[in-house]
Amino acid sequence: MTQTREQVKTKQKFQPLGNRVLVRRLQVEEKLKGGLILPDTAKKKQEQAEVVAIGTGKKDKNGKIIPIPVKTGDTILMDKYSGQDVLINDEEFVIVRADDIIAIVEQ
């Protein structure tokens, strides 16, 4: 599966490098079943995210590119504390290594 470079469609172009993936965390449910609303301090970081842009892939020891196994639009499950939070055009994203992606979530 050959993956081409893809960019975030915003005012500012953003292209992750190497085996990095730009993702947007999915929103956490703010209400509990009983109707209680959680304050921001009680919310945990969501491990599910939507892939927004991908890098070119990682090089193996022979210099061959190993493609990233996800594509733009995929919903993924990532390690809880992985990635670097970034702000692009007033929107929060996370840059994670492809190795920190645990699974693709089928809808």
Side-chain angles (χ1 to χ4, degrees), residues 68-87:
I68 296 174
V70 297
K71 62 185 181 308
T72 303
D74 282 350
T75 299
I76 56 124
L77 185 64
M78 61 185 185
D79 281 339
K80 189 173 192 172
Y81 297 107
S82 64
Q84 173 68 41
D85 293 333
V86 294
L87 192 63

Side-chain angles (χ1 to χ4, degrees), residues 26-82:
L26 298 180
Q27 295 297 317
V28 176
E29 182 64 40
E30 295 180 10
K31 275 188 183 179
L32 296 176
K33 289 181 182 179
L36 295 175
I37 298 176
L38 292 175
D40 289 337
T41 56
K43 295 178 190 174
K44 68 175 190 170
K45 286 188 175 181
Q46 183 62 272
E47 293 88 23
Q48 284 192 14
E50 175 190 1
V51 175
V52 177
I54 60 171
T56 56
K58 181 166 72 172
K59 289 185 179 183
D60 65 10
K61 62 183 177 182
N62 298 323
K64 182 179 176 185
I65 301 276
I66 301 169
I68 296 174
V70 297
K71 62 185 181 308
T72 303
D74 282 350
T75 299
I76 56 124
L77 185 64
M78 61 185 185
D79 281 339
K80 189 173 192 172
Y81 297 107
S82 64

Side-chain angles (χ1 to χ4, degrees), residues 3-34:
Q3 188 69 40
T4 59
R5 290 183 181 188
E6 300 188 33
Q7 297 178 338
V8 176
K9 294 179 183 176
T10 60
K11 294 178 247 175
Q12 181 180 9
K13 301 272 186 199
F14 193 90
Q15 174 64 47
L17 299 177
N19 74 332
R20 303 287 198 291
V21 179
L22 182 71
V23 299
R24 179 184 301 116
R25 288 187 199 276
L26 298 180
Q27 295 297 317
V28 176
E29 182 64 40
E30 295 180 10
K31 275 188 183 179
L32 296 176
K33 289 181 182 179

